[in-house]
Amino acid sequence: MGAGVSLKHSFTMFLLELFMFFACCHECLSSPLDHRQGYMLTDRATDAFLPKITPTAAPQPFLPLLAPSPLSSFPNSTSPKLSGLCMLNFTAAQSLIHVTSIDCWTAFAPLLANVICCPQLHATLVILVGQSSKETGVLALNRTLAMPCLSDIEQVLTGQGAGENLNHICSIHPSNLTEASCPVKDVDEFENTINTSELLASCEKIDPVKECCDQVCQGAISDAATRLALKASDPLSMDGPHVLPQHSTRVNDCKTVVLRWLASKLDPFHAKEVLRGLTNCNVNKVCPLIFPNMKHVANSCGNGISDRAACCDAMNSYVSHLQKQTLITNLQALDCATSLGLKLQKYNITKDVYSLCHISLKDFSLQASGCLLPSLPSDATLDKFSGISFICDLNDNIPAQWPSMSLLPALSCNKTVRIPALPAATNAQSGLYTEYVAVYLLVASSMAIMMFLQF
C-alpha cells in the first residue's frame, strides 16, 4: 500500500471510548489491590490515552488495557468455498497461510497493511506459486487459472479471519500470479538461463539489516531478472529513454519469477523470511503518509515565529491528522519527519518547529496504538484471550529531526547513526536502542471495530 490509510476522527474516538469501557469493567472485576492499581491507570480523561506533546513533559508510551476475559470470541475458521480449478497446494502451506491471516486480521488489515499485512500477503503468493512449480514445472499460472486461484486464496484467508478486501488493500490482481511480461516461466528454461547456484548462494539466507545496505541478494535477483528479460523475442535495449520504461517493467516482472524459483528451493518458512527481509528494505525507504495541505501551519509558523503558542497549536493539529493514517516503522518515521520538514521549509518555515513544539518520531504513527513498529520484519500474533498483538519499538520518544543539508539521510542503512543521544544499551542487530512490547488489542474492541468499519 503506497499511501497511508485515512481513518475518520470518529473511529479514533470510538476506539478510545471502548478502551475506557473495558477499563471500567476491569475495575469492577478486580481484587481490592488490583482495583487500587487499576484506578491509577483508568481514572483519567479519555484524552489521556493519547500521548500529549507539551514543553514540560516527555510523552509517555501508550499502554492499552486488557479486559479480564473476552466478551466475544474470535471468528472461528470456516471451510472456504473453493473453485476446484486451482492447483495450488494450500494444505502444504497451511502454517504460512495461518500467519498471513493473522497479519491481515479483519479490521486491522488497513492499519498493518504497509509494514506487515501486504508484505506477508505478497510473500505468500510468491511461495504458493513457487512451491507448485515443483509439481507443474512452471513458475507462473496461466491467465485462465489466475482468477480462480486468487479467489481461492482470498477465500482461504478470509475463512481464517483475514479481511475480506485484501486484494484492494494490497493492490493484488490475477496478474500477480502470472508471468506478466516476463518471457520465461518454465523451470527448465529458467535454470538453463540463470546461474542458479550463484543465485541460491546469494539468497538462501540473508541478514535483514546487512542486505538492505550490501544488496547481495537483491543484486543477484536483478542480474537474473535482466537475463530473463533479454530472452524476449523483441528484446528491448538497455539504452535509450524511449524503451527504458518498458524494459524496467519487464525486468520487474521477471524479478517475481526469480523470487518464485527461490521459493521453490527453500521450505516455506525460510522462503518467507527471505522474502520479507527483501521487501522490508523497500518498505523502510519510503514514508507512506499522505501530507494534507499545510497552509494553516505556514500562516502560523512562516516568516519567523511571532507567536509560539499559535505555531505549535497549528503544528499539533496538523500532526494529529497524520496520526489517523497508519502504523509505520521507526525508519519510516525518520523519512516522514524529513519529508514533512522539507515541505514546511518550502513554505518559508526556517526555524526548527519540531524542537519548538516537541514533535517526536512516534507522533507520525497511528496514535490509537501509540507505537512505532520495528524496522525489522515482524508478524502479528493471535491470542484467544487478549487479542491481536504486534511488536512496538519503545524507543519511539526520540525527538524528530528538523532537516538540514548536514542531516539529510543518504541511505536507510545509515539512518541509525543519525539518531540523537540514546540510552547506553543497544540492539546488536540493528544498531538502534530498542525495547519491545506486545500491544494487545481487546477481543471485544476488535470485533466492535470490525463491525463499525462495515457501516
Side-chain angles (χ1 to χ4, degrees):
M1 184 177 65
V5 178
S6 178
L7 296 177
K8 294 182 179 179
H9 178 69
S10 58
F11 168 77
T12 303
M13 294 307 299
F14 176 76
L15 177 59
L16 296 177
E17 289 169 2
L18 282 172
F19 282 138
M20 289 295 293
F21 172 78
F22 289 113
C24 293
C25 292
H26 177 73
E27 283 194 293
C28 295
L29 297 175
S30 60
S31 66
L33 178 59
D34 290 337
H35 178 83
R36 182 178 180 183
Q37 294 173 340
Y39 181 81
M40 296 173 65
L41 291 173
T42 59
D43 188 25
R44 303 175 183 174
T46 301
D47 288 344
F49 285 91
L50 291 177
K52 293 183 177 180
I53 306 170
T54 63
T56 58
Q60 298 300 312
F62 179 85
L63 298 175
L65 300 173
L66 299 181
S69 62
L71 301 182
S72 61
S73 60
F74 283 95
N76 294 324
S77 296
T78 58
S79 298
K81 297 179 181 180
L82 303 183
S83 65
L85 301 174
C86 185
M87 77 289 289
L88 297 177
N89 191 342
F90 298 117
T91 303
Q94 185 173 1
S95 177
L96 174 70
I97 291 173
H98 178 66
V99 172
T100 307
S101 67
I102 296 173
D103 284 348
C104 300
W105 192 78
T106 55
F108 295 102
L111 309 183
L112 300 173
N114 179 260
V115 180
I116 296 178
C117 172
C118 295
Q120 177 64 19
L121 179 57
H122 280 279
T124 300
L125 299 182
V126 169
I127 294 170
L128 284 172
V129 178
Q131 291 290 316
S132 74
S133 70
K134 294 189 288 187
E135 302 294 333
T136 64
V138 180
L139 292 164
L141 302 185
N142 63 48
R143 287 165 175 77
T144 303
L145 294 178
M147 180 70 77
C149 279
L150 185 59
S151 176
D152 285 355
I153 293 170
E154 186 176 15
Q155 288 291 322
V156 171
L157 290 173
T158 302
Q160 297 191 24
E164 295 182 352
N165 57 342
L166 294 183
N167 293 348
H168 174 71
I169 293 173
C170 299
S171 299
I172 299 294
H173 308 282
S175 59
N176 290 99
L177 300 175
T178 71
E179 72 277 17
S181 65
C182 185
V184 177
K185 63 179 180 179
D186 293 332
V187 173
D188 289 341
E189 184 179 5
F190 180 97
E191 294 180 347
N192 289 331
T193 305
I194 303 302
N195 185 339
T196 54
S197 59
E198 180 179 322
L199 175 62
L200 190 59
S202 300
C203 296
E204 62 183 341
K205 187 176 182 180
I206 67 169
D207 183 311
V209 175
K210 293 181 179 179
E211 175 60 32
C212 294
C213 303
D214 301 338
Q215 300 185 7
V216 174
C217 178
Q218 294 172 81
I221 291 172
S222 295
D223 290 343
T226 301
R227 287 181 177 275
L228 296 181
L230 293 175
K231 293 275 291 184
S233 57
D234 57 335
L236 299 171
S237 171
M238 295 287 288
D239 303 316
H242 300 294
V243 296
L244 183 59
Q246 296 94 317
H247 181 83
S248 177
T249 298
R250 183 172 291 169
V251 170
N252 285 333
D253 290 338
C254 287
K255 284 181 180 180
T256 301
V257 173
V258 175
L259 291 175
R260 292 171 187 162
W261 181 87
L262 283 170
S264 73
K265 299 302 177 183
L266 304 172
D267 64 80
F269 174 79
H270 287 98
K272 176 245 184 186
E273 294 296 306
V274 170
L275 293 172
R276 289 290 303 276
L278 294 173
T279 301
N280 225 53
C281 295
N282 295 324
V283 166
N284 284 317
K285 288 179 182 178
V286 180
C287 172
L289 301 182
I290 297 175
F291 296 106
N293 189 293
M294 51 191 71
K295 288 185 178 179
H296 177 62
V297 179
N299 292 336
S300 300
C301 304
N303 299 314
I305 300 175
S306 57
D307 189 337
R308 173 178 173 176
C311 174
C312 289
D313 284 345
M315 271 300 299
N316 290 337
S317 175
Y318 186 88
V319 170
S320 70
H321 288 285
L322 302 181
Q323 294 169 352
K324 299 172 186 176
Q325 294 189 29
T326 187
L327 286 159
I328 62 176
T329 70
N330 43 32
L331 289 182
Q332 284 179 321
L334 285 170
D335 280 318
C336 293
T338 299
S339 298
L340 176 59
L342 292 175
K343 291 178 181 294
L344 291 174
Q345 289 176 3
K346 290 181 179 179
Y347 281 90
N348 201 29
I349 299 176
T350 56
K351 291 189 177 181
D352 182 356
V353 293
Y354 291 165
S355 177
L356 181 71
C357 303
H358 298 266
I359 305 295
S360 67
L361 291 183
K362 76 174 181 181
D363 293 319
F364 291 88
S365 192
L366 186 77
Q367 286 301 291
S369 68
C371 88
L372 291 170
L373 299 173
S375 57
L376 297 180
S378 62
D379 293 298
T381 58
L382 169 64
D383 184 275
K384 291 184 178 180
F385 296 99
S386 55
I388 297 293
S389 65
F390 47 88
I391 297 173
C392 289
D393 182 353
L394 291 186
N395 197 35
D396 55 10
N397 283 328
I398 296 173
Q401 294 183 33
W402 184 249
S404 66
M405 293 305 296
S406 61
L407 288 176
L408 285 178
L411 295 170
S412 61
C413 54
N414 291 333
K415 287 177 182 175
T416 55
V417 302
R418 267 180 278 274
I419 294 179
L422 302 179
T426 59
N427 180 301
Q429 220 177 1
S430 66
L432 288 170
Y433 172 78
T434 307
E435 184 178 359
Y436 296 116
V437 63
V439 175
Y440 291 91
L441 304 174
L442 298 177
V443 177
S445 298
S446 303
M447 295 300 295
I449 293 166
M450 179 176 64
M451 292 185 291
F452 175 79
L453 291 180
Q454 291 175 348
F455 287 98

